[in-house]
Amino acid sequence: MGHGSWVKSLLPLAICPLTLFLLFTVHFSLFTANAFAEDLKLQELIDEALKNNHEILMAESKWKTSTYRIPQAKSLPDPMFMVGYQNEGWKRYTYGEMEGAQWMLSASQMFPFPGKLSLKGEMATKDSESLNASYSAIRLKTIARVKELYYELFLTYKDIDLVGDKNTLFSRIEDAAIARYSSGMGPQQEVLMAQTEKYMLIEKEEMLRQKIQSLEAMLNTTLSRDVNSPLGRPGEPTSTAYTYDMDELIRVAYENSPEIKVRERMIAAAEAKVKMAEGTKQRQAVNEAKSFRSEAAHELEAARFMLSSSIRDNYSMLKTSERLMELYKNGLIPKTYQDFELALAGYVTGKVEAITVINRLKSLLDFELLYWRQVVEREKAIAKLEAITGVKSRESGVGSQEGK
């Protein structure tokens, strides 16, 4: 057996048994996952969540229940009927025999103060509208939650792909190191260094596998499925042009946001309560109703402030992600890949040290991971903006995301 063959066969055996077990486990799990998992469709998940999510169903039930109170609030109280009998003596029925024995019948109907019924109906209507707006807000938040988990799951699978690709490149470094060692041009330590980096990537891959299980459990919970229900691999997000500017988003949010509508309906309900209390002429009831109205007005202003702040944060995240995507995709990634290839070529000829090649490959992996992280952060920011504003974004598909 030649010197180079001895090095190549011996060094992998020097890895601890646990590492070899992890290597087998990871690659076996990768095979089984890719062999049996089906593509996961985002819209199908959203539809399922809207149909089955328990929080949505509870909010819908509360709203529908409130609609049944409206006709009741507008109706007159039930009429009262009373039947009585007065007898003379205790021993026998004396009706018709004695003058004092008689049957008594009466009927009564309560008529509230004029306008009170309409005010009660208005209060019930505004309360129902508030619950309807809350129901809409929960639906939008659930959609955003499904999208966020979907994109995080996609990113984790993508990270596993990138780690696998870079492991192949580390094998090229390992082969070069073994060749240099076999010819006496390089030390054995360089071979061990390349192999160590490979096994560190295997460890990272296993951690990403664990993350997939956690994300799948959270997504299943949002869908009201069993946490262990199987899920496939998410498809790659489609790049879309987001055409709103920030001022327009804030204006649209003030007009359409369910969170704003909830508080506007609360103010309207408070106004009706003030009118109702003024009709009763009870001073403390009037003061209580006016205090509630003031509280609702302050909550509306606070909601608008928080809304605009959240829009600014997510819009800033969206634009920052777009700039970073451009930087990584068209600048850092191709440049670093070129540097790695040049460094590897230099290492083969003995002009570059092994640590230089390894560091450039690690930088390439980092930039690719960061690129796809920004792809996902952009999509998550759009999902949050849709939930905040209450409207879908104006988008136009321009093809799939590209990148290494």
Side-chain angles (χ1 to χ4, degrees):
M1 179 181 294
H3 185 54
S5 301
W6 176 83
V7 172
K8 192 164 187 177
S9 61
L10 176 62
L11 289 178
L13 295 177
I15 303 301
C16 71
L18 176 60
T19 304
L20 291 174
F21 172 75
L22 287 175
L23 174 61
F24 172 78
T25 302
V26 169
H27 283 280
F28 178 76
S29 63
L30 276 173
F31 170 76
T32 55
N34 291 333
F36 298 106
E38 297 180 357
D39 287 343
L40 199 60
K41 302 294 192 300
L42 177 57
Q43 189 56 52
E44 292 178 1
L45 295 178
I46 292 173
D47 293 341
E48 183 176 347
L50 293 177
K51 180 180 178 182
N52 299 325
N53 180 270
H54 292 303
E55 190 176 3
I56 291 178
L57 295 177
M58 286 189 295
E60 184 181 20
S61 295
K62 288 181 180 179
W63 163 55
K64 288 185 176 180
T65 299
S66 70
T67 62
Y68 304 137
R69 301 192 188 104
I70 298 174
Q72 298 179 63
K74 293 179 178 180
S75 301
L76 288 170
D78 291 338
M80 302 291 292
F81 295 93
M82 184 171 62
V83 179
Y85 172 72
Q86 178 177 306
N87 197 49
E88 288 289 341
W90 298 94
K91 295 183 178 180
R92 62 189 180 86
Y93 180 68
T94 60
Y95 181 75
E97 297 179 6
M98 302 185 69
E99 184 177 354
Q102 57 182 325
W103 283 93
M104 294 171 289
L105 301 174
S106 67
S108 63
Q109 172 67 64
M110 180 182 293
F111 292 94
F113 189 82
K116 190 173 182 179
L117 278 182
S118 62
L119 287 174
K120 290 177 65 177
E122 182 181 353
M123 288 171 54
T125 299
K126 298 305 180 185
D127 287 339
S128 179
E129 290 175 351
S130 178
L131 290 172
N132 187 18
S134 296
Y135 165 57
S136 298
I138 291 173
R139 284 173 58 90
L140 288 172
K141 288 179 181 178
T142 302
I143 292 173
R145 177 65 172 164
V146 170
K147 287 184 177 181
E148 289 178 45
L149 291 172
Y150 180 89
Y151 293 134
E152 282 293 333
L153 191 58
F154 159 77
L155 179 62
T156 308
Y157 273 106
K158 191 66 179 181
D159 287 350
I160 290 175
D161 291 344
L162 294 173
V163 167
D165 291 343
K166 297 308 165 288
N167 224 333
T168 301
L169 294 179
F170 271 114
S171 294
R172 291 176 59 188
I173 299 176
E174 178 189 9
D175 292 341
I178 291 174
R180 282 170 51 81
Y181 178 67
S182 299
S183 62
M185 295 177 58
Q188 181 181 357
Q189 183 63 30
E190 291 183 349
V191 182
L192 293 172
M193 188 186 305
Q195 291 179 335
T196 299
E197 294 294 338
K198 284 178 57 179
Y199 291 117
M200 287 176 65
L201 287 181
I202 293 174
E203 179 188 22
K204 182 178 179 66
E205 192 172 342
E206 181 62 20
M207 294 173 66
L208 290 170
R209 286 262 158 220
Q210 295 174 357
K211 184 178 179 181
I212 284 177
Q213 294 179 1
S214 176
L215 289 169
E216 286 181 337
M218 289 187 285
L219 185 52
N220 277 324
T221 299
T222 306
L223 301 174
S224 295
R225 289 185 184 180
D226 182 270
V227 293
N228 296 317
S229 296
L231 290 171
R233 173 170 178 158
E236 186 173 312
T238 301
S239 179
T240 53
Y242 196 80
T243 58
Y244 282 114
D245 60 41
M246 188 160 56
D247 292 336
E248 186 179 10
L249 282 173
I250 293 175
R251 178 184 60 78
V252 170
Y254 284 174
E255 294 175 356
N256 298 287
S257 168
E259 297 288 349
I260 294 295
K261 289 182 178 180
V262 167
R263 285 155 181 82
E264 288 176 342
R265 300 301 187 274
M266 289 173 62
I267 291 177
E271 291 284 358
K273 289 178 181 178
V274 170
K275 294 177 183 178
M276 175 73 74
E278 289 174 343
T280 64
K281 306 298 184 182
Q282 296 181 8
R283 186 178 65 179
Q284 295 304 321
V286 173
N287 291 338
E288 179 187 7
K290 288 183 177 179
S291 178
F292 180 76
R293 179 180 62 186
S294 176
E295 178 185 350
H298 286 301
E299 286 186 2
L300 174 60
E301 289 305 312
R304 285 175 174 166
F305 176 79
M306 294 298 295
L307 199 68
S308 61
S309 177
S310 184
I311 288 174
R312 293 177 190 278
D313 287 345
N314 285 285
Y315 190 80
S316 175
M317 171 63 73
L318 188 157
K319 293 302 179 183
T320 299
S321 295
E322 289 179 343
R323 290 192 293 269
L324 288 174
M325 287 165 58
E326 177 69 18
L327 174 63
Y328 292 135
K329 177 182 173 183
N330 297 322
L332 291 173
I333 291 177
K335 178 65 167 61
T336 306
Y337 186 78
Q338 183 182 37
D339 290 344
F340 162 71
E341 289 289 355
L342 291 174
L344 181 59
Y347 174 66
V348 171
T349 60
K351 296 179 181 179
V352 177
E353 295 182 353
I355 189 64
T356 300
V357 186
I358 290 173
N359 285 340
R360 289 183 181 176
L361 181 52
K362 291 169 69 174
S363 294
L364 177 61
L365 174 61
D366 289 342
F367 288 142
E368 290 181 337
L369 293 174
L370 287 170
Y371 168 77
W372 287 105
R373 163 55 62 185
Q374 294 307 318
V375 170
V376 166
E377 289 301 323
R378 180 184 183 274
E379 296 301 322
K380 288 166 61 177
I382 292 175
K384 290 177 181 178
L385 287 171
E386 290 177 350
I388 293 169
T389 60
V391 293
K392 289 187 176 181
S393 58
R394 298 193 300 253
E395 299 174 340
S396 58
V398 293
S400 299
Q401 291 287 358
E402 298 178 357
K404 287 189 176 291

